């Protein structure tokens, strides 16, 4: 797998002059031209990217799925994610890319907290849509970062990092607003989620333990986006919902069938009965057998 290891290398691939700062860059998309290069057919980059774009077109592939690059205005990618670009369909349009290497965050609290921003794991088709005023706010921040890159001194890192944190805080606000304003759509997704869990256990085809990745894939969402959506509307993430459904189904089988604990564990997708018993006791403060005896 090819890798884009530096900001400077990325600039060259976009036919741009050398970056002003070795670890941070704000790129004007209107000035960028993607060079014909084999690297686009499969690569990972070593830096974070925040893309604020207008009238951009093209296809980006994450894993085995294609996403339209023109969906949404603001999108995020984290380092070391596998990407594929259909270069012949790419049109940069206008907008900006903020790219920064993880090393730039070292010795700053953002190095530890940036992982809390779930949108860096969202797929492109789950990008953030902005109002004109919101766009202007973010462009002003990007402009300040770009100006700081032009004159590097002992204050540069601190000032740029403070602007980055401001941008990420705004993005958090905008995503929560987007979840809420799409309330009807969110309710449909929640209903689909509940039905998907119900169908999985109803089929009882011993397909293995239900996972967050499987559920998110069936809903055409990234795992982080689905968990953030569920947490905002229900207070629980995807894994917690799956565990609740597992316990619910386990209680049904313990109270209405003569299946052994091992048989129930296997029917729910567990490879080992002990794993099932451990989860059941953790969630209910009682073992499966004790629950059956108490219930009877």
């Amino acid at each position: 797998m090819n890798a884009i290891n530096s900001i400077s290398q990325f600039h060259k691939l976009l036919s741009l002059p050398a970056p002003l700062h070795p670890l941070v860059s704000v790129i004007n998309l209107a000035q960028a031209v993607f060079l014909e290069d084999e690297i686009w057919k499969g690569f990972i980059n070593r830096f974070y990217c925040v893309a604020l774009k207008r009238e951009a077109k093209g296809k980006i592939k994450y894993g085995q799925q294609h996403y339209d690059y023109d969906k949404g205005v603001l999108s995020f990618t984290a380092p070391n994610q596998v990407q594929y670009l259909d270069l012949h369909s790419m049109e940069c349009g206008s907008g900006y890319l903020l790219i920064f290497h993880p090393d730039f965050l070292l010795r700053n609290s953002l190095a530890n907290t940036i992982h809390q921003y779930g949108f860096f794991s969202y797929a492109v088709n789950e990008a953030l849509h902005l109002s004109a005023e919101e766009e202007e706010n973010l462009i002003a921040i990007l402009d300040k970062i770009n100006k700081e890159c032009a004159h590097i001194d002992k204050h540069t890192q601190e000032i740029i990092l403070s602007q980055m944190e401001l941008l990420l805080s705004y993005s958090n606000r905008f995503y929560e607003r987007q979840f809420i304003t799409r309330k009807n759509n969110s309710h449909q997704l929640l209903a689909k989620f509940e039905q998907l869990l119900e169908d999985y256990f109803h089929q009882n085809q011993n397909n293995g333990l239900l996972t967050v990745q499987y559920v998110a894939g069936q809903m055409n969402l990234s795992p982080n986006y689905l968990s953030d959506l569920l947490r905002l509307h229900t207070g629980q993430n995807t894994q917690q919902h799956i565990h609740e459904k597992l316990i619910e189904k386990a209680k049904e089988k313990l109270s209405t069938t003569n299946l052994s604990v091992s048989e129930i564990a296997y029917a729910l997708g567990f490879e080992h009965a002990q794993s099932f018993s451990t989860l059941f006791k953790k969630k209910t403060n009682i073992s499966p057998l004790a629950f059956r005896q108490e219930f009877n």
Side-chain angles (χ1 to χ4, degrees):
M1 180 63 64
N2 296 312
I4 303 176
N5 293 305
S6 67
I7 305 294
S8 177
Q9 182 185 0
F10 191 66
H11 268 240
K12 289 179 181 178
L13 288 166
L14 268 62
S15 310
L16 293 169
L20 299 172
H21 191 291
L23 298 178
V24 185
S25 181
V26 177
I27 294 171
N28 187 335
L29 282 173
Q31 299 171 356
V33 178
F34 284 78
L35 289 180
E36 292 278 353
D37 196 290
E38 288 295 310
I39 199 169
W40 303 121
K41 295 181 179 179
F43 68 96
I44 57 176
N45 62 44
R46 304 298 188 188
F47 40 81
Y48 290 93
C49 178
V50 180
L52 176 62
K53 55 198 183 295
R54 303 187 198 92
E55 300 175 359
K57 296 181 180 179
K59 296 289 184 181
I60 290 181
K61 188 179 181 183
Y62 281 80
Q64 298 303 311
Q65 291 185 291
H66 283 90
Y67 298 105
D68 289 331
Y69 187 63
D70 56 350
K71 288 185 178 178
V73 173
L74 193 65
S75 58
F76 305 79
T77 57
N80 304 317
Q81 294 189 31
V82 179
Q83 301 180 48
Y84 308 80
L85 298 187
D86 182 356
L87 199 59
H88 298 291
S89 71
M90 291 298 295
E91 293 181 22
C92 288
S94 62
Y96 301 90
L97 294 179
L98 167 64
I99 55 178
F100 54 98
H101 197 281
D103 287 354
F104 186 72
L105 309 181
L106 296 179
R107 298 185 299 278
N108 185 273
S109 60
L110 189 57
N112 297 319
T113 60
I114 195 166
H115 304 292
Q116 298 173 11
Y117 295 101
F119 43 72
F120 275 109
S121 297
Y122 293 169
V124 175
N125 67 331
E126 297 153 0
L128 181 61
H129 297 261
L130 304 177
S131 69
E133 182 179 357
E134 289 167 348
E135 276 191 60
E136 290 175 5
N137 285 339
L138 296 189
I139 290 173
I141 294 172
L142 293 173
D143 184 56
K144 289 179 181 178
I145 293 173
N146 191 47
K147 288 178 179 176
E148 279 301 316
C149 289
H151 58 277
I152 300 173
D153 58 27
K154 65 180 182 179
H155 302 290
T156 299
Q157 183 184 28
E158 179 184 354
I159 293 172
I160 291 178
L161 286 170
S162 67
Q163 293 300 314
M164 285 182 178
E165 288 191 280
L166 182 59
L167 185 148
L168 295 176
S169 295
Y170 271 124
S171 300
N172 250 347
R173 170 188 283 177
F174 299 157
Y175 259 114
E176 289 186 8
R177 182 262 304 146
Q178 180 164 294
F179 283 140
I180 293 169
T181 55
R182 294 182 178 182
K183 191 173 182 180
N184 290 336
N185 185 46
S186 295
H187 285 174
Q188 292 174 1
L189 285 172
L190 292 174
K192 182 179 179 181
F193 171 75
E194 291 295 335
Q195 190 61 50
L196 195 154
L197 297 191
E198 191 64 37
D199 291 345
Y200 189 90
F201 291 110
H202 180 70
Q203 290 168 2
N204 193 27
Q205 295 176 346
N206 298 323
N207 290 325
L209 197 61
L210 183 59
T211 65
V212 173
Q213 289 71 23
Y214 173 83
V215 175
Q218 291 295 304
M219 298 184 68
N220 294 317
L221 300 172
S222 66
N224 279 42
Y225 190 92
L226 177 59
S227 281
D228 282 357
L229 177 67
L230 290 171
R231 190 182 294 109
L232 182 67
H233 289 283
T234 69
Q236 293 185 314
N237 62 28
T238 313
Q239 189 66 69
Q240 290 169 318
H241 277 278
I242 290 174
H243 283 167
E244 276 201 351
K245 183 60 71 171
L246 277 168
I247 300 305
E248 175 189 319
K249 293 301 178 183
K251 287 180 176 179
E252 286 180 12
K253 293 181 183 297
L254 286 166
S255 61
T256 62
T257 75
N258 293 320
L259 294 172
S260 69
V261 171
S262 294
E263 288 171 327
I264 292 172
Y266 181 67
L268 293 174
F270 289 87
E271 290 186 16
H272 306 289
Q274 184 59 45
S275 298
F276 162 66
S277 295
T278 299
L279 177 65
F280 190 92
K281 189 169 184 179
K282 179 181 178 182
K283 296 296 183 181
T284 65
N285 295 317
I286 191 172
S287 70
L289 279 178
F291 173 82
R292 172 172 274 172
Q293 292 167 358
E294 185 180 85
F295 188 87
N296 293 333

